Amino acid sequence: MTRHYELLFVLKPTLVDEEVQARITFLKETLEKNGAEISAFQNMGTRKLAYKIEKFERGYYGVFYFTAPSLAIGEVERNIRINEDFIKFMSVKYENQKELRHWNKIVEKCNKQVTTTQPVDAPVQETEASPEA
Amino acid sequence: MAPERRKYARKYCKYCEAKIEFIDYKDTKILKHALSERYKIMPRRLTGTCKRHQEMAELAIKRARHTALIPYVVDTRNVVAHPFDQLQ
């Protein structure tokens, strides 16, 4: 059964921009491989962590909004746990009507921002050419 | 003779006033109505938040803590002068 999800992840601050993009495409591919349909991606940028994680004080935040079969989540989380560059992650299920309405609102907002500021596909395609790091 | 009761400003639910339907844990600004200066969850009897919103705020605060958006504890070692300034 497909459900609505959101997946927040925090990347190490030591990565350069291209490496960050590579991790994002990696996550995107794993999601799509497991049958997820990505609706939006929210870039929260590098921000200060409220407490130290693995001795890092800052981290890169990103959020994916997608619909996926419920079995896919376990597999995606397993993949994230293997990768050491993800210092924190959390997936949230949006279930009842009120939550779904909020989910739709965020997706709409994210997509609007992307089209007005910069095309999100451009940096992604660049990293796809380079081999998986 | 019972002492005269002190008068306080009437408490009301700040989330109802702002007509918030769902409290998102990534929006740390709206979480602070339910937090103390030391980032503890404030009880409903002190803030006046309605039950529906208090339950949403609790869940959102716990999620925000897990993802390092807000701290779990602010103790004497890392106490700050203006605790809510760092929230974006």
Side-chain angles (χ1 to χ4, degrees), chain A residues 22-36 38 64 76 124 127-128 132:
Chain A
R23 299 300 178 278
I24 294 169
T25 37
F26 160 75
L27 201 56
K28 205 174 176 181
E29 276 161 17
T30 25
L31 279 170
E32 274 164 359
K33 217 188 291 164
N34 287 291
I38 294 165
F64 273 114
V76 172
V124 173
T127 48
E128 270 170 3
E132 227 291 294

Side-chain angles (χ1 to χ4, degrees), chain A residues 26-63:
Chain A
F26 160 75
L27 201 56
K28 205 174 176 181
E29 276 161 17
T30 25
L31 279 170
E32 274 164 359
K33 217 188 291 164
N34 287 291
E37 210 172 290
I38 294 165
S39 311
F41 171 68
Q42 190 187 355
N43 179 358
M44 286 166 84
T46 310
R47 49 191 287 168
K48 204 169 173 296
L49 300 171
Y51 49 87
K52 279 184 193 169
I53 304 173
E54 294 171 24
K55 293 182 182 167
F56 294 119
E57 297 217 336
R58 293 184 306 138
Y60 172 87
Y61 279 79
V63 195

Side-chain angles (χ1 to χ4, degrees), chain A residues 87-104:
Chain A
I87 53 177
K88 211 70 156 168
F89 69 93
M90 184 171 73
S91 48
V92 175
K93 179 171 71 182
Y94 284 75
E95 205 159 28
N96 62 36
Q97 277 199 338
K98 204 192 296 167
E99 289 168 351
L100 284 178
R101 229 178 295 151
H102 185 76
W103 190 90
N104 285 326

Side-chain angles (χ1 to χ4, degrees), chain A residues 6 50-51 61 65 88 101, chain B residues 21 25-26 65-68:
Chain A
E6 137 185 349
Y51 49 87
Y61 279 79
Y65 295 91
K88 211 70 156 168
R101 229 178 295 151
Chain B
E21 199 180 43
Y25 65 94
K26 294 187 291 303
R65 279 176 180 168
H66 176 82
T67 49

